[in-house]
Amino acid sequence: MLSVNFAGLKLRNPVIVASATPSITADAIRKAEANGAGAVVTKSVMFPDASGRPTGGNAKPRFQLYNTPNGYDPSLTKRGGQFSFFRMQEPYPTPEKMAKMLDELKGPGGVGIPVIVSICGFTGDYASWRKLARLMEDAGADAIELNGHAWDPIVKYSDPVIATVVKNEVKIPVIYKMMGVTEDPKSVAPQLAAAGADAITGLGTFGLSAIELDVDNESPWFSSAHGLGGTWLRAVSLAFVAGIAQSVDIPVSGVTGIQCGDDAVKYMLLGATTVQVCAAIYAKGYKVLREIADGIEAFMRRKGYSSLEDFRGKALPKLTGAPPNDLPIRAVVNENCNGCGMCVESCMFDAIRCVDRETTISEACEGCGVCWSFCPSKGIELRNFA
Ligand SMILES: Cc1cc2nc3c(=O)[nH]c(=O)nc-3n(C[C@H](O)[C@H](O)[C@H](O)COP(=O)(O)O)c2cc1C
């Protein structure tokens, strides 16, 4: 039911571990397979620095998970609440280390799921990308994902030439991971497809930096944080993925903010063939991979779908662009209203009164929808007065 062909790779399900720490060692990747992953993208491989040390620094501590002002509350992520994952520098595996890992993973006692190796060459140095791709194909990679951010400076745009150079070098599928949050996916994705990419992943969030502070200590968590993940960015990535899917015919892998089956389904309804998961593994453990796959299956059973193609891209035609304006709509209280009065606080047009838990809405209502969208008891509906 969940099996899928992704750029020529046969996956038992569409849930892929995204490139990061949860796929940084052979043991981690075995664990991902044991917990139901359809494939993994390894932590990105980079050449070591001039002194032979792995690129990327070794900040300690380097991760912090945020979902409430007072710290992490697991019950919130369990209920599907928002969280964000901050990180500082961590070391990138060298080609030598990755080749050893692939040797282990592709030999006896290895894994059966596809191992997509993420590579990251130097900015503007196409030979470095070509060499990394060659080394990884020779070492047994099933596909290559291009991590286009480069290390320093952080590159915030996609470079189609990298796709062409790598595609001309290897026979395995080549996936381009878009990281430029400010790029227009509808103009850039077609360039990547024309350059030879077999698939596109989006939206990687490395190009974003952020700050969070501990107020009592009057200090930022980290002096700098990049590569944020987590549910708070999902809506941005969903829009980005829709733009990719609307503009290319090659498969798309949706990443950012997936922590349950419905999150994955959202990406698929917008055209994604597979999804990738990172921060949710830190927050909930590898078991979240099976939970996500099970959640997709539960959605399909509920809707009567027998394959992922049955609903892939189904929401795209509903993205019609401009919203309807000037409709004769007003908010009306219904029988679910419990008189909590929350809508009174949020009305900017002073149209709502709540006296003795009895709510009324006057003709001053603009039909803006704030009360309707905030109402905790679904006690307000929008009615057409035409
Ligand atoms: C700690 C950490 C390390 C990451 N390392 C890489 C990396 O090496 N290569 C890469 O392409 N993306 C990397 N990413 C980005 C993730 O693959 C993913 O695109 C991002 O976290 C959004 O997904 P999420 O919301 O599921 O976390 C990293 C993210 C985090 C949080």
Side-chain angles (χ1 to χ4, degrees), residues 14-18 77 80-83 201-203 229-235 237-238 241 252-268 272-285 288-289 291-293 295-296:
V15 183
I16 300 175
V17 176
T77 49
Q82 296 288 326
F83 69 91
T201 300
L203 167 70
T231 53
W232 68 304
L233 279 167
R234 189 178 52 241
S237 181
L238 284 169
V241 162
V252 183
S253 192
V255 64
T256 293
I258 297 171
Q259 64 159 331
C260 64
D262 279 0
D263 295 342
V265 166
K266 289 175 189 177
Y267 277 97
M268 293 173 170
T273 298
T274 59
V275 292
Q276 299 189 13
V277 183
C278 172
I281 302 175
Y282 297 78
K284 299 180 170 187
V288 77
L289 297 165
E291 284 170 21
I292 294 169
I296 300 170

Side-chain angles (χ1 to χ4, degrees), residues 318-327 329 368:
K318 296 178 189 161
L319 299 174
T320 51
N325 287 320
D326 277 341
L327 293 177
I329 278 177
C368 72

Side-chain angles (χ1 to χ4, degrees), residues 315-355:
L316 286 173
K318 296 178 189 161
L319 299 174
T320 51
N325 287 320
D326 277 341
L327 293 177
I329 278 177
R330 279 210 309 270
V332 181
V333 178
N334 69 23
E335 64 284 358
N336 296 328
C337 173
N338 59 15
C340 74
M342 207 172 132
C343 50
V344 178
E345 309 295 330
S346 64
C347 181
M348 287 157 283
F349 301 97
D350 200 26
I352 310 182
R353 297 280 177 273
C354 186
V355 180

Side-chain angles (χ1 to χ4, degrees), residues 18-21 43-44 63 85 87 90 92 118 145 147 177 179 204-205 227-230 255-258 276-280 282:
S19 175
T21 335
K43 172 77 188 163
S44 297
F63 302 140
F85 193 72
R87 73 133 180 185
E90 64 175 341
Y92 288 79
S118 169
E145 186 175 83
N147 167 357
K177 183 173 187 183
M179 300 267 193
T205 49
L228 317 162
V255 64
T256 293
I258 297 171
Q276 299 189 13
V277 183
C278 172
Y282 297 78

